[in-house]
């Protein structure tokens, strides 16, 4: 079992700080409680194409694109970026409650033909009722997961290429059909830590995706989902969502993490924690529990840093260390059964190079990757605090997304 490496597309903006404008300001509608920042990298197609091309060159298999009112639409953005890349796949996040399952199945089929099979699907049931209501969705947490269960049943049903009927609480479909089913069928990535989420993951997901908790907690989740899947007669694979700060030495990596922390004032952290604490997402509450809103003891496991989650919703931990240490931690998670690593860093362009030129060769040397793509500037010393082959000088800022 080899490792699958994926990167992230910051379609809500990018930069050199952890300040997530969208996570704690009413979904990005109000901006008054944010520490003023400068150097924003707008998520225009030119910048996102730079990240996508870098990810492809560096050997990442796919890029995750988030969903929400605070970022660009994932379907439209990624199909545009497919025209700028050749092999890179797109892990498109979408919300089942705001689109017809038959239409979603048709869109996936069309996407596969346009991109020649480069679509992966990340199903986001939604843990924030305020955000859901913006899309006209008024179901509570557990009923949203029940609807997702039906949604994915319909999607898989109409992918069979013949008329499909479904009569459920949330969907009633007569003769649902995708006349030309997608080929190959897109893999379905799915996350959720609640009791309502587990059975849905077991029945429908190809890859169960967890946020970056300490290894023992991740093992407990894997055992939980694996047991539920076995009861359904299915096998589920596993993935993890993490940030990375990887450098030539451990000291350099931790210095970068500390700089990111120094950029955060107490009011910014307090505002973020107040808003994130209202989330209905069990996974979000587990992320918050890792640090308790405090700057103290943020290294919650070797090389696993919870500082990101002080101000950012969703994935709140980062692997911090030398390239070898980050590879060690990936190898540790892999030994637990994690195959897919969905990674990101601030800013996303430069951190892709740090990881791709530093950690990827380490993983290949350990037999965890089939091969490592070598940059034409591999081995050239880094300068001015960034990898030699990374573009430099452009102004930066805020990370959006999940």
């Amino acid at each position: 079992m080899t490792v699958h490496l994926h990167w992230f597309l910051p379609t809500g903006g990018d930069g050199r700080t952890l300040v997530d404008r969208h996570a704690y300001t009413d979904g990005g509608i109000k901006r008054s409680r944010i520490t003023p920042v400068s150097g924003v990298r707008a998520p225009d197609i030119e910048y996102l194409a730079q990240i996508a091309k870098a990810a492809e060159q560096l050997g990442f298999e796919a890029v995750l694109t988030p969903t929400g009112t605070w970022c660009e639409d994932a379907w439209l953005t990624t199909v545009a970026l497919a025209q700028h890349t050749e092999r890179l796949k797109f892990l498109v996040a979408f919300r089942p409650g705001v689109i017809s399952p038959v239409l979603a199945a048709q869109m996936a089929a069309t996407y596969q033909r346009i991109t020649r099979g480069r679509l992966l699907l990340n199903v986001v049931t939604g843990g924030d009722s305020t955000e859901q209501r913006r899309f006209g969705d008024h179901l509570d947490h557990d009923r949203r997961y029940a609807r997702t269960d039906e949604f994915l049943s319909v999607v898989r049903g109409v992918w069979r290429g013949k008329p499909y009927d479904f009569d459920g609480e949330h969907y009633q479909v007569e003769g649902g059909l995708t006349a030309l089913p997608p080929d190959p069928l897109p893999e379905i990535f799915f996350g959720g830590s609640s009791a309502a989420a587990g059975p849905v993951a077991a029945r429908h997901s190809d890859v169960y995706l967890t946020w970056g908790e300490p290894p023992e907690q991740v093992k407990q989740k894997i055992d939980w989902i694996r047991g539920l899947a076995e009861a359904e007669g299915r096998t589920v694979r596993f993935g993890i969502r993490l940030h990375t700060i990887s450098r030539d030495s451990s000291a350099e990596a931790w210095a970068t993490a500390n700089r990111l922390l120094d950029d955060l004032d107490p009011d910014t952290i307090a505002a973020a924690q107040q808003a994130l604490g209202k989330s209905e997402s069990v996974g979000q509450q587990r992320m918050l529990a890792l640090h308790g809103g405090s700057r103290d003891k943020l290294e919650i496991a070797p090389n696993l840093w919870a500082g990101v989650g002080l101000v950012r919703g969703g994935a709140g931990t980062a692997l911090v260390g030398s390239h070898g240490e980050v590879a060690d931690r990936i190898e540790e998670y892999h030994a637990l059964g994690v195959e897919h690593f969905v990674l990101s860093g601030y800013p996303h362009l430069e951190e892709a190079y740090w990881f791709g030129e530093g950690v990827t060769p380490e993983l290949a040397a350990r037999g965890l990757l089939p091969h490592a793509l070598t940059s034409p500037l591999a081995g050239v010393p880094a300068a001015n605090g960034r990898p030699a082959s990374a573009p430099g000088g452009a102004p930066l800022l805020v990370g959006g997304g999940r």
Side-chain angles (χ1 to χ4, degrees), residues 230-265:
E230 287 175 354
E232 297 283 344
R234 299 188 69 244
T235 300
V236 174
R237 288 170 288 121
F238 297 93
I240 194 167
R241 175 79 179 88
L242 289 158
H243 306 280
T244 66
I245 303 174
S246 177
R247 296 293 185 270
D248 296 335
S249 71
S250 183
E252 290 178 83
W254 285 108
T256 300
N258 290 331
R259 180 190 62 76
L260 292 172
L261 196 62
D262 290 342
D263 286 342
L264 305 178
D265 62 64

Side-chain angles (χ1 to χ4, degrees), residues 260-280:
L260 292 172
L261 196 62
D262 290 342
D263 286 342
L264 305 178
D265 62 64
D267 288 343
T268 297
I269 294 175
Q273 293 299 295
Q274 181 184 24
L276 294 172
K278 298 176 183 177
S279 174
E280 299 168 331

Side-chain angles (χ1 to χ4, degrees), residues 293-304:
S294 172
R295 295 171 179 259
D296 300 329
K297 298 179 181 179
L298 288 173
E299 189 177 3
I300 55 176
N303 304 106
L304 185 64

Side-chain angles (χ1 to χ4, degrees), residues 94 100-106 108 121 123 148-166 173 176-178 181-182 184-190 200-208 234-237:
F94 74 101
S100 155
V102 178
L103 177 59
Q106 183 185 42
L121 294 175
V123 177
T148 296
D149 194 359
E150 293 188 7
F151 182 98
L152 293 175
S153 294
V154 174
V155 167
R156 290 196 183 277
V158 301
W159 276 347
R160 297 171 187 167
K162 56 186 179 180
Y164 175 80
D165 295 338
F166 185 87
V173 175
L177 178 67
T178 300
L185 295 180
E187 289 186 297
I188 293 176
F189 287 63
F190 181 92
V200 183
R203 280 191 286 271
H204 298 289
S205 68
D206 296 303
V207 179
Y208 175 80
R234 299 188 69 244
T235 300
V236 174
R237 288 170 288 121

Side-chain angles (χ1 to χ4, degrees), residues 277-318:
K278 298 176 183 177
S279 174
E280 299 168 331
S281 166
V282 173
Q284 182 63 71
Q285 297 307 316
R286 290 170 69 106
M287 283 281 101
L288 295 176
L290 296 176
H291 53 69
S294 172
R295 295 171 179 259
D296 300 329
K297 298 179 181 179
L298 288 173
E299 189 177 3
I300 55 176
N303 304 106
L304 185 64
W305 184 63
V308 181
L310 289 174
V311 292
R312 186 194 193 279
T317 54

